[in-house]
Amino acid sequence: MLRIGLTGGIGSGKSTVSGLLAARGARVVDADRIAREVVEPGTPGLDAVVVAFGPDVLTADGALDRPALAAVVFADPQARARLDAIVHPLVRARAAELVAAAPPDAVVVQDVPLLVETGQAASYDLVLVVEADLETRVQRLLARGLGEADARARIAAQATDEQRRAVADVVLDNSGSVEDLAAQVDRFWAEHVTPAVG
Ligand code: ADP
């Protein structure tokens, strides 16, 4: 098995790269998606969040009220730490299960937005970082429906390009077209994946 950690700032193109890698045969384990699954109704994760933050973080039909929870943790770093202490171990455990279920010859790509921030680089055979310049990311996030102030605040709260580059084995530049990105993914596959897995 070859384990690839894929990261990059919000709006840099991680999902686009994981889609391109999946098309080449990789198995993608998506941390954001798992983070939603572990707090779905009926999960121990959601129960733990309600114990910590009270029933006001639930919608009328018993699902997690994300905006309500976001408002609580945005204003309070200790609340954020409590939430992370609930969710992060659940995400890691579920991701580990999915990786363990992959066949021994699989190429497993883990899309981990906060790989650098959470110090996980050593968990992977290869760390793949996707970058795009700041204004391009902002424009792409606006096109995705985020407000400009929100987009800039989220970018500023994350690691810098320099911090991500410091742990990268390979950096992809997604400031150009998707075709240009796909060509870089093909080169990455030929130079780093094929030699490792045959
Ligand atoms: P991330 O997963 O890192 O947040 P995405 O892959 O979702 O980033 O890309 C952010 C947005 O920009 C998406 O709407 C995506 O379709 C778009 N996008 C990604 N790469 C390009 C590109 N090279 N050219 C134009 N749009 C792009």
Side-chain angles (χ1 to χ4, degrees), residues 3 39 94 109 155:
R3 289 185 61 188
V39 289
R94 179 67 184 139
V109 174
I155 290 172

Side-chain angles (χ1 to χ4, degrees), residues 3 7 9 14 20 46 48 52 55-56 69 98 122 142 149 161 170 176-177:
R3 289 185 61 188
T7 195
K14 293 178 299 299
L20 291 163
L46 185 56
D56 288 350
L69 182 60
L98 292 171
L142 297 188
D161 286 349
V170 177
S177 67

Side-chain angles (χ1 to χ4, degrees), residues 30-118:
D30 181 335
D32 274 348
R33 181 163 159 188
I34 296 171
R36 291 191 295 272
E37 288 171 1
V38 297
V39 289
E40 273 172 5
T43 58
L46 185 56
D47 292 346
V49 170
V50 173
V51 168
F53 296 98
D56 288 350
V57 299
L58 292 178
T59 63
D61 51 6
L64 185 61
D65 184 341
R66 287 172 191 286
L69 182 60
V72 172
V73 301
F74 185 75
D76 180 353
Q78 286 184 342
R80 155 73 64 181
R82 285 207 307 279
L83 178 63
D84 288 349
I86 295 168
V87 174
H88 286 179
L90 295 171
V91 172
R92 286 185 191 212
R94 179 67 184 139
E97 267 176 29
L98 292 171
V99 172
D105 61 349
V107 176
V108 177
V109 174
Q110 288 181 252
D111 179 339
V112 186
L114 300 182
L115 186 150
V116 172
E117 291 84 343
T118 56

Side-chain angles (χ1 to χ4, degrees), residues 9-16 140 144 174 176-178 181:
I10 180 171
S12 60
K14 293 178 299 299
S15 308
T16 308
R140 288 177 185 161
R144 210 162 74 179
N174 187 27
S177 67
V178 174
L181 181 66

